[in-house]
Amino acid sequence: MAERHASRTCPLCEATCGVTITLDGDTPLAVRGDDADPFSRGYLCPKAAALPALHADPDRLRTPLVRGADGELHPATWAEAFAVAIDRLAAIKRAHGADAIALYLGNPSAHSLDLMTFGPVLTRALGTRQRYSASSADQLPKMVSAALMFGGGLAIPVPDLDRTDRLLILGANPVVSNGSLMTAPDVKARLKAIRARGGKLIVIDPRRTETAALADEHHAIRPGGDAALLLAMAHVLFAEGLVTLGAAAGHVDGLAAVEAIAARFAPERVAARVGIDAATIRRLAREHAAAPTAACYGRIGTTCQEFGTLASWAVDLINVLTGNLDRAGGAMWTTPVALPGRHRAKGDSKFARHRSKGGLPEMFGELPVAAMADELRGGVRALITVAGNPLVSAPGVDELTAAIGGLEFRVAIDPYVNATTRLADVVLPPPSPLARAHYDVALYQLAIRNVARYSAPTVARADGAPAEWEIMLTLAKGVAGMGAAPLPMADAGVARELCARELGDLAAAGAPLAVTVEQALAMLDGEGPDRLLDLLVRVGPYGDGFGARPGGLTLAALRAAPHGLDLGPLVPRLPDVLRTPDRRIALAPALIVDDVPRLEAALDAAAPALVLIGRRELRSNNSWMHNLPHLMKGGDRCTLLVHPDDARARGLTDGGRARVASAAGAIEAPVEISDEVRPGVVSLPHGFGHDVAGVRMGVARAHGGVNVNQVSDPAFHDGPSANAAFNGVAVEVTAASG
Ligand SMILES: Nc1nc2c(c(=O)[nH]1)N[C@H]1C(S)=C(S)[C@@H](COP(=O)(O)OP(=O)(O)OC[C@H]3O[C@@H](n4cnc5c(=O)[nH]c(N)nc54)[C@H](O)[C@@H]3O)O[C@H]1N2
Ligand SMILES: Nc1nc2c(c(=O)[nH]1)N[C@H]1C(S)=C(S)[C@@H](COP(=O)(O)OP(=O)(O)OC[C@H]3O[C@@H](n4cnc5c(=O)[nH]c(N)nc54)[C@H](O)[C@@H]3O)O[C@H]1N2
Ligand code: SF4
Ligand SMILES: [Mo]
């Protein structure tokens, strides 16, 4: 037996932990934390321990599936499956135009080097305006506020976790989620360290979460109250002369406009809607301002809600107004090693260039998932899903199921036959996550230290199976009508184009490199994503500049450091980080400010008696890791948390069943009575509902659970971004007999 050890980055969540895998040949046996990873320092969560099971899962597809004349999905060769997919897609595009094909990109694409680099190639080849992604069921409001305030959708300040004296967390549960828009392995230890060094942790959440359990203070806000709470804190800062801009001084516009808005949000006015009393709000504002350093941070509870963009904006207002933006211990920007488009002069704020039939705006080139069912019914003929399971993850899944079912043709790039891909006509499975190279292009933009870790594939790909970037490229070439060109040529074409763009941006920025595109291309390492990564590293701030900065980083240098490189704590980035048109911080962008009256109207309106929120749990990863037996041990986790008062008033019993009904639909779920949710709030996790006809995931089906997004209402969404509002959905809950 040739037992060996290989280290790589865990691809499963945003924490980017290093893992060391014990293998027998190419069979993974066990996983432990990689002690030599300078960022994760040996930390490992239970999900990573399931990587061998994921690799070995008999339900994970190894060959493509194509729907036969009998209406069933059958194994097919790669050549057959590509031929069917390309013929049909190309024919639909020819006959009905680019917008007849819709594309949905799911969450794991942000964790995949292949998809981060070659996803855009397919997107461009399709040329469709029918583009969707999990972003509009997630962080889109934060991207909108960051783009408008700072000039980049991912120019999102992250809490300087390891140095802060005070962390105010709203609507995030990092102890369970392992952190999001804040790449920080072993976040639990890092949070505990804040208190150990004398700092304070404050959690604002309708539920007393696992993170709240570690905190100095927990305040059970009413869902949707965050923007009002933070504006009321801003009110206090202005009223009491506590505003100080720190590093942002001299770089901000719109301060007077913000003061005028904050003036309308006295703590006493918002307290009832927010569910936190005025004295506490005043104290939170004063203590935040008085702390030597402080960071304000919000996540899903602040984005996937009715006022997502306002709340996301207000989080950074608090960072700015207390002098904590861009200072150590405050909220800072990462300096990532590899970042596409980093030298471009202009930001990426492209909004509302077109709209859905229902009037919802395009954002960063995509339409919101809240509009997807309507749009698919209105002229779209085919759908490609990549690493996504929208029939579990998007709001209003009953209507969306009918809409997807009614299309002419569906292609899924996915390793499982799940609630969504069971409807596909062609399923193209990516290789095991252990059989691909890994580099976190997306997540290292949001890391709490400047780090970089490249992982080579741990095991070989199965004979004849393409890498996922090759799947994307083959489809891209096919729909673009260049079917016969050999792959490497098209790959080289992608590299040439990116290289020309990056070198061109540098020249335009007055910092040209002394190489031609051809010379640079000749120096690049590898093919496919590796080659593009090498390019991005070399033109980046630590890069060798193709010889201009000898000793600078290259992909070869990353390969030589398989446990990762620690490039130090975050450093100040103002004003260079800004990509707003005037390179200033816009504190009061029109698109956001125009939404304030809607918030004020809500303050004065009657709130629903009972609202639904979501939750995550440790051994789960949205919808797709429920097929691994040892992650599914123990009791049913897909339960409806109900406060004892609400249970009593509705005659609900612990372990009994409840019917949950909203404007969008109704489901039944087992009741778990607990005072960890505040009265008036019930909580159900998302990611369940696997036991539907056609799903080929044996373990997941046995633990099917209910699909909460049958009651999430696509009509209930954020204003400016139209991001799905999964939290704060008005529901009626009654005892069910079943
Ligand atoms: N174990 C595990 N880890 C994961 C995932 C997973 O499914 N399982 N998913 C990954 C993904 S895709 C993401 S985006 C991240 C998400 O990471 P987090 O945002 O940290 O995770 P959530 O558990 O969704 O936390 C949202 C919190 O918001 C609270 N909340 C709900 N409504 C409101 C509100 O109106 N205001 C406030 N202040 N709070 C509210 C909820 O009670 C919940 O505690 O997690 C990632 N990590
Ligand atoms: N009610 C409610 N709904 C929610 C949320 C919530 O909090 N509450 N959270 C939202 C959030 S934050 C998110 S991110 C979305 C997630 O929404 P989605 O991205 O649509 O769903 P996932 O469950 O992450 O499904 C990922 C899919 O990718 C496949 N997959 C895994 N790895 C790979 C790979 O390497 N390549 C390919 N091609 N496929 C792969 C899996 O098999 C699965 O089918 O859900 C959203 N939906
Ligand atoms: S926290 Fe996330 S990255 Fe770290 S081991 Fe767990 S799943 Fe993997
Ligand atoms: Mo997410």
Side-chain angles (χ1 to χ4, degrees):
M1 277 210 195
E3 206 167 269
R4 64 184 177 103
H5 300 284
S7 291
R8 63 180 294 119
T9 305
C10 174
L12 297 176
C13 89
E14 295 178 44
T16 73
C17 303
V19 296
T20 299
I21 304 175
T22 305
L23 302 109
D24 174 3
D26 265 1
T27 306
L29 303 173
V31 178
R32 56 187 161 78
D34 179 1
D35 295 324
D37 183 307
F39 197 28
S40 65
R41 301 175 296 211
Y43 175 77
L44 190 75
C45 88
K47 269 187 290 183
L51 279 169
L54 178 60
H55 182 79
D57 186 353
D59 288 337
R60 188 175 61 76
L61 300 175
R62 270 75 168 173
T63 59
L65 301 176
V66 175
R67 196 169 296 281
D70 60 357
E72 299 294 320
L73 285 169
H74 296 288
T77 66
W78 280 97
E80 286 164 353
F82 275 132
V84 175
I86 288 170
D87 282 356
R88 294 289 304 274
L89 291 171
I92 288 171
K93 190 175 177 189
R94 255 193 324 273
H96 304 286
D99 292 343
I101 304 176
L103 174 69
Y104 174 92
L105 274 176
N107 168 278
S109 55
H111 304 252
S112 161
L113 177 61
D114 286 34
L115 291 175
M116 284 301 296
T117 49
F118 281 80
V121 177
L122 176 61
T123 303
R124 269 195 298 144
L126 287 169
T128 177
R129 301 203 296 187
Q130 287 291 329
R131 286 171 53 196
Y132 303 87
S133 80
S135 290
S136 55
D138 188 347
Q139 81 288 357
L140 182 59
K142 192 73 203 179
M143 292 176 64
V144 170
S145 78
L148 292 170
M149 295 176 84
F150 310 122
L154 283 177
I156 297 170
V158 298
D160 187 13
L161 215 51
D162 293 346
R163 292 184 288 186
T164 193
D165 297 294
R166 184 180 176 91
L167 180 62
L168 176 64
I169 297 186
L170 301 101
N173 189 11
V175 168
V176 163
S177 69
N178 291 299
S180 181
L181 300 186
M182 170 178 82
T183 298
D186 200 3
V187 67
K188 189 174 180 179
R190 294 178 195 268
L191 292 175
K192 284 183 171 168
I194 296 174
R195 295 189 67 193
R197 62 178 179 263
K200 285 237 176 336
L201 177 63
I202 292 96
V203 172
I204 310 288
D205 197 303
R207 187 181 143 234
R208 195 173 63 244
T209 60
E210 297 79 352
T211 305
L214 296 185
D216 294 274
E217 292 178 31
H218 165 233
H219 301 286
I221 192 170
R222 285 179 52 181
D226 303 83
L229 167 67
L230 294 167
L231 287 172
M233 286 174 62
H235 177 102
V236 176
L237 297 176
F238 281 110
E240 301 187 4
L242 299 174
V243 170
T244 132
L245 297 180
H251 301 297
V252 304
D253 287 325
L255 188 62
V258 169
E259 182 168 11
I261 291 168
R264 310 207 294 265
F265 287 83
E268 292 70 19
R269 181 183 181 199
V270 307
R273 174 63 184 84
V274 167
I276 300 174
D277 63 79
T280 301
I281 297 174
R282 289 184 181 276
R283 180 175 60 77
L284 287 173
R286 290 175 192 137
E287 291 180 2
H288 205 81
T293 66
C296 182
Y297 162 76
R299 201 56 268 287
I300 287 291
T302 58
T303 56
C304 291
Q305 58 135 295
E306 205 181 349
F307 301 106
T309 301
L310 284 174
S312 298
W313 164 69
V315 163
D316 283 324
L317 280 184
I318 295 299
N319 286 321
V320 171
L321 298 177
T322 55
N324 281 297
L325 184 70
D326 205 38
R327 87 157 159 200
M332 303 187 80
W333 287 281
T334 315
T335 310
V337 167
L339 174 63
R342 82 179 324 136
H343 305 291
R344 217 169 296 153
K346 285 221 298 247
D348 56 3
S349 313
K350 292 188 185 119
F351 301 141
R353 288 167 298 176
H354 53 96
R355 285 180 183 270
S356 72
K357 288 169 195 68
L360 300 186
E362 162 266 348
M363 292 270 154
F364 303 102
E366 295 179 355
L367 287 168
V369 288
M372 198 166 156
D374 269 359
E375 291 293 295
L376 294 188
R377 277 190 303 243
V380 173
R381 288 164 187 266
L383 171 68
I384 306 174
T385 58
V386 182
N389 192 4
L391 292 185
V392 173
S393 57
V397 290
D398 289 342
E399 279 197 39
L400 190 55
T401 304
I404 293 179
L407 295 172
E408 267 175 51
F409 189 62
R410 292 142 294 239
V411 176
I413 302 173
D414 203 285
Y416 283 109
V417 179
N418 60 25
T420 303
T421 61
R422 76 195 159 107
L423 298 180
D425 300 284
V426 177
V427 184
L428 304 168
S432 157
L434 302 182
R436 65 183 199 217
H438 190 94
Y439 182 87
D440 280 302
V441 178
L443 307 177
Y444 286 157
Q445 295 181 49
L446 300 159
I448 61 141
R449 287 182 72 84
N450 295 316
V451 291
R453 179 175 175 147
Y454 172 85
S455 310
T458 308
V459 301
R461 232 183 304 135
D463 278 347
E468 191 154 20
W469 68 269
E470 293 176 308
I471 300 176
M472 302 302 276
L473 191 50
T474 304
L475 287 181
K477 282 172 39 192
V479 292
M482 46 184 292
L487 270 177
M489 273 195 55
D491 173 31
V494 172
R496 173 169 292 105
E497 203 184 31
L498 186 68
C499 191
R501 201 169 345 127
E502 292 289 335
L503 294 184
D505 286 347
L506 273 165
L513 291 177
V515 282
T516 64
V517 171
E518 292 309 318
Q519 286 167 334
L521 283 172
M523 292 169 78
L524 290 176
D525 182 351
E527 56 165 7
D530 283 358
R531 171 154 49 187
L532 304 186
L533 178 61
D534 193 23
L535 166 65
L536 295 174
V537 170
R538 284 167 180 249
V539 300
Y542 310 89
D544 79 339
F546 289 103
R549 292 182 294 273
L553 287 182
T554 59
L555 179 56
L558 293 184
R559 286 185 202 275
H563 302 285
L565 291 175
D566 181 19
L567 300 159
L570 304 187
V571 293
R573 299 277 320 272
L574 280 175
D576 293 347
V577 71
L578 302 175
R579 288 291 182 279
T580 43
D582 51 8
R583 300 239 168 176
R584 293 176 59 77
I585 297 172
L587 287 184
L591 192 65
I592 297 178
V593 167
D594 288 351
D595 199 32
V596 172
R598 194 173 60 95
L599 175 61
E600 290 190 81
L603 288 179
D604 304 329
L610 198 62
V611 297
L612 175 68
I613 63 169
R615 70 177 186 274
R616 287 176 157 74
E617 31 94 39
L618 194 59
R619 288 174 297 151
S620 189
N621 206 20
N622 296 331
S623 77
W624 72 276
M625 287 187 67
H626 290 154
N627 209 48
L628 307 176
H630 57 283
L631 291 182
M632 298 311 286
K633 279 191 214 134
D636 192 351
R637 289 176 270 161
C638 189
T639 57
L640 183 75
L641 290 180
V642 187
H643 188 273
D645 296 351
D646 292 319
R648 210 171 304 120
R650 288 165 180 79
L652 303 174
T653 53
D654 196 58
R657 291 184 69 79
R659 179 174 187 273
V660 184
S662 73
I667 50 176
E668 281 189 18
V671 172
E672 188 178 337
I673 296 178
S674 167
D675 68 358
E676 70 189 48
V677 282
R678 65 168 282 146
V681 173
V682 292
S683 158
L684 249 186
H686 77 289
F688 289 90
H690 307 295
D691 193 18
V692 286
V695 169
R696 300 184 185 176
M697 300 174 78
V699 177
R701 281 192 83 159
H703 300 265
V706 297
N707 188 336
V708 67
N709 285 330
Q710 292 180 273
V711 291
S712 308
D713 187 351
F716 184 62
H717 54 71
D718 175 42
S721 73
N723 194 82
F726 298 119
N727 296 294
V729 180
V731 289
E732 286 188 6
V733 174
T734 49
S737 39

